[in-house]
Amino acid sequence: MTLGRIAGILDSTSGSREARLFRAAHGIVFGAAILALALDTVPRFAESHGALFKALMVLALVLCAVEYALHLATAPAAAYWRWAVSPAGIIDLISFVPMAVALAVAADSRVVNLFGILWLIKLVRYSHGMTILARVIPGVGEWLLNVFLAFLVVLFAAATLAYLFEGKTQPDTFGSIPAALWWTVATLTTTGYGDTTPVTPAGRMLAGIVMICGIAVFALWAGILATGFAEETRRYNFLKTWDLVAKVPLFKSIGAGTIAEVTRLLRPRETPAGAEVMHKDEPGDCMYFIVSGEIEIQIQPRPVRLGAGDFFGEIALVVDGPRTATAVATTPCMLLVLDIVDFRALISREPDLVKVIEAEAARRMVQTGPGRAV
Amino acid sequence: MTLGRIAGILDSTSGSREARLFRAAHGIVFGAAILALALDTVPRFAESHGALFKALMVLALVLCAVEYALHLATAPAAAYWRWAVSPAGIIDLISFVPMAVALAVAADSRVVNLFGILWLIKLVRYSHGMTILARVIPGVGEWLLNVFLAFLVVLFAAATLAYLFEGKTQPDTFGSIPAALWWTVATLTTTGYGDTTPVTPAGRMLAGIVMICGIAVFALWAGILATGFAEETRRYNFLKTWDLVAKVPLFKSIGAGTIAEVTRLLRPRETPAGAEVMHKDEPGDCMYFIVSGEIEIQIQPRPVRLGAGDFFGEIALVVDGPRTATAVATTPCMLLVLDIVDFRALISREPDLVKVIEAEAARRMVQTGPGRAV
Amino acid sequence: MTLGRIAGILDSTSGSREARLFRAAHGIVFGAAILALALDTVPRFAESHGALFKALMVLALVLCAVEYALHLATAPAAAYWRWAVSPAGIIDLISFVPMAVALAVAADSRVVNLFGILWLIKLVRYSHGMTILARVIPGVGEWLLNVFLAFLVVLFAAATLAYLFEGKTQPDTFGSIPAALWWTVATLTTTGYGDTTPVTPAGRMLAGIVMICGIAVFALWAGILATGFAEETRRYNFLKTWDLVAKVPLFKSIGAGTIAEVTRLLRPRETPAGAEVMHKDEPGDCMYFIVSGEIEIQIQPRPVRLGAGDFFGEIALVVDGPRTATAVATTPCMLLVLDIVDFRALISREPDLVKVIEAEAARRMVQTGPGRAV
Amino acid sequence: MTLGRIAGILDSTSGSREARLFRAAHGIVFGAAILALALDTVPRFAESHGALFKALMVLALVLCAVEYALHLATAPAAAYWRWAVSPAGIIDLISFVPMAVALAVAADSRVVNLFGILWLIKLVRYSHGMTILARVIPGVGEWLLNVFLAFLVVLFAAATLAYLFEGKTQPDTFGSIPAALWWTVATLTTTGYGDTTPVTPAGRMLAGIVMICGIAVFALWAGILATGFAEETRRYNFLKTWDLVAKVPLFKSIGAGTIAEVTRLLRPRETPAGAEVMHKDEPGDCMYFIVSGEIEIQIQPRPVRLGAGDFFGEIALVVDGPRTATAVATTPCMLLVLDIVDFRALISREPDLVKVIEAEAARRMVQTGPGRAV
């Protein structure tokens, strides 16, 4: 196995089968190790299965070390140092060195647990979607921060008032501003433990206002994230689809000017070999373009096989009826799905493209007779 | 009653009167049976009405069995097996077989209750809207899952820290990571039972951070679902309206190119026979197109009857005044509503269509005199 | 005072000065009466101020009766009965009759309190915005209902499981399904009283899942309402602005086709007499069109007065500088505000309209010298 | 240092380096003083560090006074009074006068704490983003208020019912409507302290309904704020970008008509001197336009320096490949970023602009050979 191939497997953005398997195995081992770490803190389990837990932790540590070594080995010659000081390199290093030391010197097992949290970060680092999600936060970060600042101001002002109102009545829990903060934060986030509650009328009125402010902060935050998320989703879906659209000759022909519009209407879908993409007689609400792979349309007298660049399922959209045949993927396929809603919108925006699709639908219906074609 | 008709009634997507009645009766019987199941667990009620509760449960079980048999009987010959192994078939089967067995062998009534939960699934299965709602989740599922993963990571990291900070002070509730999870999940979801709370300064600071993370998870989830929901609503409304628009000749004439635009502006409304669609002298903020049914416009000297393909209520939009007549549905009607806001937007997008409507409004006003027409 | 004038005052949608004063007085009297009702339940206050409270309640009752009589008297001859059986009429009737009876027969004061809730409905009925808000709910009602159904299903399933898991350990609080519902609803809404909590591992795991489901229901509901609200806001603002736009000759000239587009960009603003609309040397980020009223532009050597149909504040947009003069409303004014963002968007959509505005800006700058005009 | 320069530093909207430093120092001093105020209420800390805390507070007070004096001194001659009675002037005045008096007369330290809250307002006043955030609320204020009114109505109605249902069973906590409000507000906001809970079946059913109403209020508020926030964000970003776009000659040439469209696609980004804007061989998903500052493109044989008005990073977009060179800012730069998604959308909307960019990309690739240019 060459170093290049190993580098490909370790690459967290790679979509290859090997890389995926590695990520799955990685997730399972570290998930199990974290579970072992957690259960090891229960005396009853530690006694009965302590050895197993220890073994799992050591296994995870060894894996960490191996992974770190491979990362270093596969980095380009001049980039050893660059990777080692990158956030990923540092996380990978501190995910095994301190814990190994802690285990070796037989320190307090609590310290070991603390370093176990670093494994959670490793788990997340290999999660594809997580890195995408991380893009939403920066875009609206300035706004989130401002709401957070407002949150802190309200928090502090409320704690001061609570201290003034309740300090004399309940000196234990409201006797100082830092003490009053405990009640205030639990109330402002609407958590409401209820271990300390105001008893004076002024304190209770304050509590009501703090709760309502809590709702407002909540709502504002939700509003900001919803806005940022909607934007980022659109961006992400566009990029994901764009690369696939470029591989279908039919779309290339419509010109660079309008391809961006069409890209917005399509959605990619991956299909494993053997999966039924559409079933005869079921209502049809979308059509498919094949980016890669092979689809078998099960029509009589003999099935038809379609490959990259072909499309199918358009008859149900054109004549607004049920599917006229079953389609099965004979290899793993990458398809682009055009929903019926967007197909209809396309009629006015891209009449030429729709005409090509309709002509093909007509040809297929004539050739095989209606009710037999796709 | 033929098998086909029975199949139609059992079809949960059917809109026929019989199918609706069946669904309503189905809902009432199973709602009552679930209520009986619940009340049967209260010793006081079980003693006084135990027999009634048992009877209701047995009735529901019998209905389950009959329904299952009918489903099998009405399935196409080759599809018995297919239906039986479909999720719907399996739910229908396990909704009565295990419970009947449990009742028969006089097992612990708690087991009977457990199977009663399956009736809830049956209830949901016949809910039309529920199946639509279910479409929202898959579209944004990848994102929800990623937020959920982040939730788990924060949950676990916070539990580990809480165990480290509080474990020695409160060994009962924070003495192990699994134990600390109980406090952590209640705090991260801002539920805040308050049965266990941190007491050390570090633990309380952690609690504050966990609560704020809880708000963020909440907000992110809300943002994702709002995005997905807005998209799906648009799609659903478009499809629902499209089929109706195709039945109005006026819209057909505007050409396939722009019909999708017009569809977006219309909203379907169902009206029972005898209902007043609009009332004379009230402000008018929409006009109506009749898809099916008959509407009586109550103008002097004699009322006018309009049928499928006609429109009414346009005068109020054209002259921006109150309704000039009352309109009553003489049969159940399906109408398409065009809001005044969208009518005005239509002026620039579809001038020809608006001209037809304005011409008809002018004709009607001349014919009957202003203040008398629709 | 004629009956017609009284009818105008009572009309809750009227914008006249008299009607507004009436609504304000109405709100104050009923607000005070409700407060009296509430404080009357505190023995301490009832003893010291009981007579005052009673007097306020009787005053509110008398007002209710008078209002009811006036509503009947001002209804058109044939519509007495129609109004009396309308929701508004029934609310008005039961807002004083049962309570008057209860007070008269010296019944338990608790019954009196119950009827006091009806005054809250009266308060809301006269709130202009409330009736608008009520439009949002129906539009998304079908979806809200489905989420609510899902909420109930989860609630019931969770209560059944909680009963099965915890029933034996805590027979008092989880001993039957109805009893378990109390804990379940407090957890599913993330309220978390903490008066009853599960203690078995299975019960606590269930609790965690229920809390997360609670977040999801919350988030779904927020998403649905956000979607509905955004739609309704757009509609409401459009209609509010449209009527005003029609009164400005400049906009009429741009043709019915594009007036809808322009309406979307404008926002109405009401200004009392004497208010400063814009201040010299401050940054200018919008311009104004006068729908009604008179504005004085304070330029040297003598101020200019602008009336309905005129516009001002455009120079700051055209030359991108600070305000060149202060503008004060000499009478109450209704203005249409065009934000700088929308002004720039208008350049491409309505070049003719923008040219008219720019020409006027140029004329004013030449006439009075730059730095002196508006 | 002239008065004008001091005025510029005090201006909270200024973006100059001095003004920023002042704001940072201001924030640190007042943050420390507020912390001192809080810790001073803890007897243990007050004893050990009391003198330090007092010193910090006095320092903050002196700064307040100096700031106030400078503000007055730098106000234009005729505007002393105007600033003194403006909200900012009044806040600045009461942020030190009452507290100084309280400290001087050695009053109860609790009074001093109360005035400390005013420092929080000062902190916020200098926060740039906060003033922007404040714009969101007024736009949707009418709606928020209506939801709040509904909240109050539900709150009061629920408290009345809770008093009726629970008053006799729990006279201490539900014995009067004001007392019942405490439980109601904690439940309606889903805070759920759990210090008082209903015990009768009717009271518990009411509690369930109140919790669900709480979710609805929450959700409605989130929906309203999300709508308002999305709108305001768009406006803010547009204005921020517009001023920068006007400084790039390339955009000026596309005509006033479409510049608003282009502005929507660009995002400003500030870069300190020495920062790496893009790195060779990394995937490229955006291109940059230089508004001000200097960028060095590190290509062989000698680096190229680009200045205001130039653009770079376009090759990765045109040929859809990785970056062909590293770009470093040699001075602090203001850039406009065009995302790949928007670049593709631009192809259909602004073909001429895209052609200019593509021509330049081709020229650069020819000149330096592919893989070497930007």
Side-chain angles (χ1 to χ4, degrees):
Chain A
M1 193 186 269
T2 65
L3 280 182
R5 198 165 156 204
I6 291 173
I9 292 172
L10 291 175
D11 178 7
S12 68
T13 63
S14 160
S16 78
R17 197 150 163 277
E18 279 170 337
R20 285 185 190 192
L21 274 178
F22 169 71
R23 283 204 291 271
H26 191 272
I28 290 166
V29 168
F30 283 96
I34 290 166
L35 205 65
L37 210 66
L39 294 179
D40 197 37
T41 62
V42 186
R44 193 155 40 95
F45 294 148
E47 268 170 45
S48 57
H49 298 83
L52 172 68
F53 296 155
K54 277 279 173 322
L56 268 168
M57 285 187 239
V58 171
L59 171 67
L61 280 180
V62 169
L63 270 179
C64 276
V66 170
E67 203 190 321
Y68 186 78
L70 285 176
H71 260 301
L72 270 188
T74 57
Y80 285 137
W81 187 244
R82 194 183 156 96
W83 185 82
V85 299
S86 73
I90 292 168
I91 288 172
D92 275 15
L93 186 67
I94 60 173
S95 68
F96 71 97
V97 171
M99 197 165 168
V101 171
L103 274 177
V105 304
D108 183 1
S109 72
R110 282 163 189 267
V111 180
V112 178
N113 281 314
L114 188 60
F115 294 122
I117 292 179
L118 292 165
W119 288 347
L120 287 172
I121 302 174
K122 271 186 80 78
L123 262 184
V124 171
R125 198 164 80 72
Y126 276 103
S127 154
H128 184 45
M130 214 64 167
T131 56
I132 296 159
L133 203 66
R135 285 185 59 99
V136 176
I137 310 295
V140 291
E142 188 191 345
W143 305 98
L144 288 181
L145 215 72
N146 280 312
V147 175
F148 185 66
L149 186 61
F151 176 88
L152 286 186
V153 166
V154 172
L155 184 68
F156 203 88
T160 305
L161 289 175
Y163 157 71
L164 292 175
F165 293 156
E166 299 281 327
K168 282 189 182 156
T169 329
Q170 308 188 62
D172 283 350
T173 48
F174 289 95
S176 71
I177 293 179
L181 272 171
W182 175 239
W183 166 81
T184 315
V185 76
T187 301
L188 190 54
T189 57
T190 76
T191 305
Y193 283 132
D195 53 348
T196 63
T197 50
V199 293
T200 62
R204 293 195 158 189
M205 219 162 278
L206 173 72
I209 294 165
V210 169
M211 290 168 200
I212 291 163
C213 287
I215 297 187
V217 168
F218 231 127
L220 208 47
W221 228 329
I224 291 171
L225 285 170
T227 306
F229 183 79
E231 196 112 322
E232 188 55 29
T233 303
R234 227 164 323 190
R235 185 186 188 280
Y236 172 70
N237 288 338
F238 183 90
L239 288 182
K240 206 167 135 194
T241 309
W242 176 272
D243 294 334
L244 300 173
V245 167
K247 291 182 188 156
V248 177
L250 183 65
F251 293 129
K252 266 191 196 154
S253 68
I254 65 174
T258 50
I259 204 166
E261 305 296 318
V262 172
T263 299
R264 278 207 183 77
L265 303 179
L266 294 164
R267 260 172 295 176
R269 186 189 302 171
E270 239 170 319
T271 310
E276 213 183 80
V277 178
M278 60 189 206
H279 190 77
K280 194 167 186 284
D281 294 328
E282 276 178 1
D285 61 354
C286 59
M287 65 173 291
Y288 304 88
F289 298 88
I290 306 174
V291 177
S292 64
E294 197 187 57
I295 294 284
E296 186 179 271
I297 310 293
Q298 297 175 339
I299 47 172
Q300 298 304 330
R302 75 163 59 106
V304 169
R305 298 207 163 198
L306 302 175
D310 290 333
F311 57 85
F312 63 97
E314 81 287 354
I315 292 181
L317 304 199
V318 171
V319 305
D320 212 355
R323 297 294 188 200
T324 53
T326 295
V328 174
T330 54
T331 67
C333 289
M334 174 56 80
L335 306 172
L336 284 170
V337 182
L338 179 63
D339 193 277
I340 188 167
V341 171
D342 299 316
F343 176 76
R344 283 165 185 174
L346 211 61
I347 295 173
S348 64
R349 298 196 204 153
E350 290 296 322
D352 295 342
L353 183 62
V354 171
K355 264 176 212 156
V356 171
I357 293 170
E358 286 177 345
E360 177 67 14
R363 198 190 61 78
R364 286 182 186 173
M365 281 191 283
V366 167
Q367 197 176 15
T368 60
R372 295 194 139 176
V374 196
Chain B
M1 193 187 270
T2 65
L3 280 183
R5 197 165 156 204
I6 293 173
I9 292 173
L10 292 176
D11 178 7
S12 68
T13 63
S14 160
S16 77
R17 196 149 165 278
E18 279 170 336
R20 285 185 191 191
L21 274 178
F22 169 72
R23 282 204 289 271
H26 190 272
I28 290 166
V29 168
F30 283 95
I34 290 167
L35 205 67
L37 210 64
L39 294 179
D40 197 37
T41 61
V42 185
R44 194 154 42 93
F45 295 148
E47 268 170 44
S48 57
H49 298 82
L52 173 68
F53 296 156
K54 275 280 175 319
L56 269 167
M57 285 186 236
V58 171
L59 172 66
L61 280 181
V62 170
L63 270 179
C64 277
V66 169
E67 204 190 321
Y68 186 77
L70 285 176
H71 261 301
L72 271 188
T74 58
Y80 285 138
W81 187 243
R82 194 183 156 95
W83 185 82
V85 298
S86 73
I90 291 168
I91 288 172
D92 276 14
L93 187 66
I94 60 174
S95 68
F96 70 98
V97 172
M99 197 164 168
V101 172
L103 274 178
V105 304
D108 183 1
S109 72
R110 283 163 186 268
V111 180
V112 178
N113 283 314
L114 189 59
F115 293 123
I117 292 179
L118 292 166
W119 288 347
L120 288 171
I121 301 174
K122 272 186 79 78
L123 263 184
V124 171
R125 197 164 79 73
Y126 276 103
S127 155
H128 184 46
M130 213 66 168
T131 56
I132 296 159
L133 203 67
R135 283 185 60 100
V136 176
I137 310 297
V140 291
E142 188 190 345
W143 306 98
L144 288 182
L145 215 72
N146 280 313
V147 175
F148 185 66
L149 187 61
F151 176 88
L152 286 186
V153 166
V154 172
L155 185 68
F156 202 88
T160 305
L161 289 175
Y163 157 73
L164 293 174
F165 293 156
E166 299 282 327
K168 283 190 180 153
T169 329
Q170 308 187 61
D172 283 349
T173 48
F174 290 95
S176 71
I177 293 179
L181 272 172
W182 175 238
W183 167 81
T184 315
V185 76
T187 301
L188 191 53
T189 57
T190 76
T191 305
Y193 283 133
D195 52 348
T196 62
T197 50
V199 293
T200 63
R204 293 195 159 190
M205 220 162 277
L206 172 72
I209 294 165
V210 169
M211 289 169 201
I212 291 163
C213 287
I215 296 188
V217 168
F218 232 128
L220 209 46
W221 227 329
I224 292 171
L225 284 170
T227 306
F229 184 79
E231 196 112 322
E232 187 56 29
T233 302
R234 226 164 324 193
R235 185 185 187 279
Y236 172 70
N237 288 338
F238 183 89
L239 288 182
K240 205 167 136 194
T241 309
W242 176 272
D243 295 334
L244 300 173
V245 167
K247 291 181 188 159
V248 177
L250 183 66
F251 294 128
K252 265 191 197 154
S253 68
I254 64 175
T258 50
I259 204 164
E261 305 295 319
V262 172
T263 299
R264 277 206 185 78
L265 303 180
L266 295 164
R267 260 172 295 176
R269 186 190 301 172
E270 237 170 320
T271 311
E276 213 182 79
V277 178
M278 62 189 203
H279 190 77
K280 195 167 187 285
D281 294 329
E282 275 177 1
D285 62 353
C286 61
M287 64 173 292
Y288 304 88
F289 298 88
I290 307 173
V291 177
S292 65
E294 196 187 55
I295 295 283
E296 186 179 271
I297 311 294
Q298 296 174 339
I299 47 171
Q300 298 305 330
R302 75 163 59 106
V304 169
R305 298 206 163 199
L306 301 174
D310 290 332
F311 56 84
F312 63 97
E314 82 287 353
I315 292 181
L317 304 199
V318 171
V319 305
D320 212 354
R323 296 294 188 202
T324 53
T326 295
V328 174
T330 53
T331 67
C333 288
M334 175 55 82
L335 305 172
L336 284 170
V337 182
L338 178 63
D339 193 278
I340 188 168
V341 172
D342 300 315
F343 177 75
R344 283 163 185 175
L346 211 60
I347 295 173
S348 64
R349 297 196 205 152
E350 289 297 322
D352 295 342
L353 183 62
V354 171
K355 265 177 211 156
V356 172
I357 293 170
E358 286 177 345
E360 177 67 15
R363 197 189 61 77
R364 284 181 187 175
M365 280 191 283
V366 166
Q367 198 177 12
T368 59
R372 295 194 138 175
V374 197
Chain C
M1 194 188 267
T2 65
L3 281 182
R5 199 165 155 202
I6 293 173
I9 292 172
L10 292 175
D11 178 7
S12 69
T13 63
S14 161
S16 77
R17 195 150 164 278
E18 279 170 337
R20 285 186 189 190
L21 275 178
F22 169 71
R23 283 204 289 272
H26 190 272
I28 290 166
V29 169
F30 283 96
I34 290 167
L35 204 67
L37 210 64
L39 293 178
D40 197 38
T41 62
V42 185
R44 194 155 41 93
F45 294 147
E47 269 170 44
S48 57
H49 298 83
L52 173 69
F53 296 156
K54 275 278 173 321
L56 269 167
M57 284 186 236
V58 171
L59 172 67
L61 280 181
V62 169
L63 271 179
C64 277
V66 170
E67 204 190 322
Y68 186 78
L70 285 175
H71 260 301
L72 270 188
T74 58
Y80 286 137
W81 187 244
R82 195 184 156 97
W83 185 82
V85 299
S86 74
I90 292 168
I91 289 172
D92 275 16
L93 188 67
I94 60 175
S95 69
F96 70 97
V97 172
M99 197 165 168
V101 171
L103 275 178
V105 303
D108 183 0
S109 72
R110 284 163 186 268
V111 180
V112 178
N113 283 313
L114 188 60
F115 293 122
I117 292 179
L118 293 166
W119 288 347
L120 288 170
I121 302 174
K122 271 185 82 76
L123 264 184
V124 170
R125 197 165 79 73
Y126 276 102
S127 154
H128 184 47
M130 214 66 170
T131 55
I132 295 159
L133 203 67
R135 284 186 60 100
V136 176
I137 310 297
V140 291
E142 188 190 345
W143 305 96
L144 288 181
L145 216 71
N146 280 312
V147 175
F148 185 66
L149 187 61
F151 176 89
L152 286 185
V153 166
V154 172
L155 185 69
F156 203 89
T160 305
L161 288 175
Y163 157 73
L164 292 174
F165 293 157
E166 298 282 328
K168 281 192 183 154
T169 329
Q170 307 188 61
D172 282 349
T173 49
F174 290 96
S176 70
I177 293 179
L181 272 171
W182 176 238
W183 167 81
T184 315
V185 75
T187 301
L188 190 55
T189 57
T190 76
T191 305
Y193 283 131
D195 52 349
T196 62
T197 50
V199 293
T200 63
R204 294 195 158 190
M205 219 163 278
L206 172 71
I209 295 165
V210 169
M211 289 169 201
I212 291 162
C213 287
I215 296 188
V217 167
F218 232 127
L220 209 47
W221 228 329
I224 291 171
L225 284 170
T227 307
F229 184 79
E231 195 111 325
E232 187 56 28
T233 302
R234 226 164 323 192
R235 186 188 186 277
Y236 172 70
N237 287 338
F238 183 90
L239 289 183
K240 204 166 136 195
T241 309
W242 175 272
D243 294 335
L244 300 172
V245 167
K247 292 181 188 157
V248 177
L250 183 66
F251 294 129
K252 266 190 195 154
S253 68
I254 64 173
T258 51
I259 203 165
E261 305 296 318
V262 173
T263 300
R264 276 206 186 78
L265 303 179
L266 295 164
R267 258 172 296 175
R269 186 190 301 172
E270 237 170 321
T271 310
E276 214 182 78
V277 178
M278 61 189 205
H279 190 79
K280 194 166 187 283
D281 294 329
E282 276 178 0
D285 63 353
C286 60
M287 63 174 292
Y288 304 87
F289 298 88
I290 306 174
V291 177
S292 66
E294 197 187 56
I295 295 283
E296 186 178 272
I297 311 294
Q298 297 174 338
I299 47 171
Q300 298 303 329
R302 75 163 58 107
V304 169
R305 296 205 164 200
L306 301 175
D310 291 333
F311 56 84
F312 63 97
E314 81 287 354
I315 292 181
L317 305 199
V318 171
V319 305
D320 213 353
R323 296 296 187 199
T324 54
T326 296
V328 174
T330 53
T331 66
C333 289
M334 175 56 80
L335 305 172
L336 284 169
V337 183
L338 179 63
D339 194 276
I340 188 167
V341 172
D342 300 315
F343 177 76
R344 282 164 185 174
L346 210 61
I347 295 172
S348 65
R349 295 195 206 153
E350 289 297 321
D352 295 341
L353 183 61
V354 170
K355 265 175 212 156
V356 171
I357 294 170
E358 286 177 344
E360 177 67 14
R363 197 188 62 77
R364 286 181 186 177
M365 280 190 283
V366 166
Q367 198 177 13
T368 59
R372 296 194 139 176
V374 196
Chain D
M1 193 186 268
T2 65
L3 282 182
R5 197 164 157 204
I6 292 174
I9 292 173
L10 292 176
D11 179 6
S12 68
T13 63
S14 160
S16 77
R17 196 148 164 279
E18 280 170 337
R20 285 186 190 192
L21 275 177
F22 169 71
R23 282 204 290 271
H26 190 271
I28 290 167
V29 169
F30 283 94
I34 290 167
L35 205 66
L37 209 66
L39 294 178
D40 196 37
T41 61
V42 186
R44 193 154 42 94
F45 294 148
E47 269 169 44
S48 57
H49 298 82
L52 172 69
F53 296 156
K54 275 279 171 325
L56 268 167
M57 283 186 239
V58 171
L59 171 66
L61 280 180
V62 169
L63 270 179
C64 277
V66 170
E67 203 190 322
Y68 186 77
L70 285 175
H71 260 300
L72 270 188
T74 58
Y80 285 138
W81 187 244
R82 196 183 154 97
W83 185 81
V85 299
S86 73
I90 292 168
I91 289 172
D92 275 16
L93 186 68
I94 58 174
S95 68
F96 71 98
V97 172
M99 198 164 169
V101 171
L103 274 177
V105 302
D108 182 1
S109 72
R110 282 163 189 266
V111 180
V112 179
N113 283 313
L114 187 59
F115 294 122
I117 293 180
L118 292 165
W119 288 348
L120 288 170
I121 302 174
K122 271 185 81 78
L123 263 184
V124 171
R125 197 164 80 72
Y126 276 102
S127 155
H128 184 46
M130 213 66 168
T131 56
I132 295 159
L133 202 68
R135 285 184 60 99
V136 176
I137 310 296
V140 291
E142 189 190 344
W143 305 97
L144 288 181
L145 215 72
N146 281 313
V147 175
F148 185 64
L149 186 61
F151 176 87
L152 286 186
V153 167
V154 172
L155 184 68
F156 203 88
T160 305
L161 289 175
Y163 157 71
L164 292 174
F165 293 156
E166 298 281 327
K168 282 191 183 154
T169 330
Q170 308 188 61
D172 282 349
T173 49
F174 290 96
S176 70
I177 293 178
L181 272 171
W182 175 238
W183 166 81
T184 315
V185 76
T187 301
L188 190 54
T189 57
T190 76
T191 305
Y193 284 131
D195 52 349
T196 61
T197 50
V199 293
T200 62
R204 293 195 160 190
M205 219 163 276
L206 172 72
I209 295 166
V210 169
M211 289 168 201
I212 292 163
C213 287
I215 296 187
V217 167
F218 233 127
L220 208 47
W221 228 328
I224 291 172
L225 284 170
T227 306
F229 184 79
E231 196 111 323
E232 187 56 29
T233 302
R234 226 165 322 190
R235 186 187 187 278
Y236 173 70
N237 288 339
F238 183 90
L239 288 183
K240 204 166 136 195
T241 309
W242 176 273
D243 293 335
L244 301 172
V245 167
K247 292 182 187 157
V248 178
L250 183 66
F251 294 129
K252 266 192 195 152
S253 69
I254 64 173
T258 50
I259 203 164
E261 305 296 318
V262 172
T263 299
R264 278 207 184 78
L265 303 179
L266 295 164
R267 258 173 295 176
R269 186 190 300 173
E270 239 170 319
T271 310
E276 215 183 78
V277 178
M278 60 189 206
H279 191 77
K280 195 169 187 284
D281 295 329
E282 274 178 2
D285 62 354
C286 59
M287 65 174 291
Y288 303 89
F289 299 88
I290 307 174
V291 178
S292 65
E294 199 187 56
I295 294 283
E296 187 178 272
I297 311 293
Q298 297 174 339
I299 48 173
Q300 297 304 330
R302 75 163 59 106
V304 169
R305 298 207 162 196
L306 301 175
D310 290 333
F311 56 86
F312 62 96
E314 80 287 353
I315 292 181
L317 305 199
V318 171
V319 306
D320 214 354
R323 296 295 187 200
T324 54
T326 295
V328 174
T330 54
T331 67
C333 289
M334 174 56 80
L335 306 171
L336 284 170
V337 183
L338 179 62
D339 193 277
I340 188 168
V341 172
D342 300 316
F343 177 75
R344 282 164 186 174
L346 210 60
I347 295 172
S348 64
R349 296 196 206 153
E350 290 296 322
D352 294 343
L353 183 62
V354 171
K355 265 175 211 156
V356 171
I357 294 170
E358 286 177 344
E360 177 67 16
R363 197 188 63 77
R364 286 182 185 173
M365 281 190 284
V366 167
Q367 198 177 13
T368 60
R372 295 195 139 175
V374 198

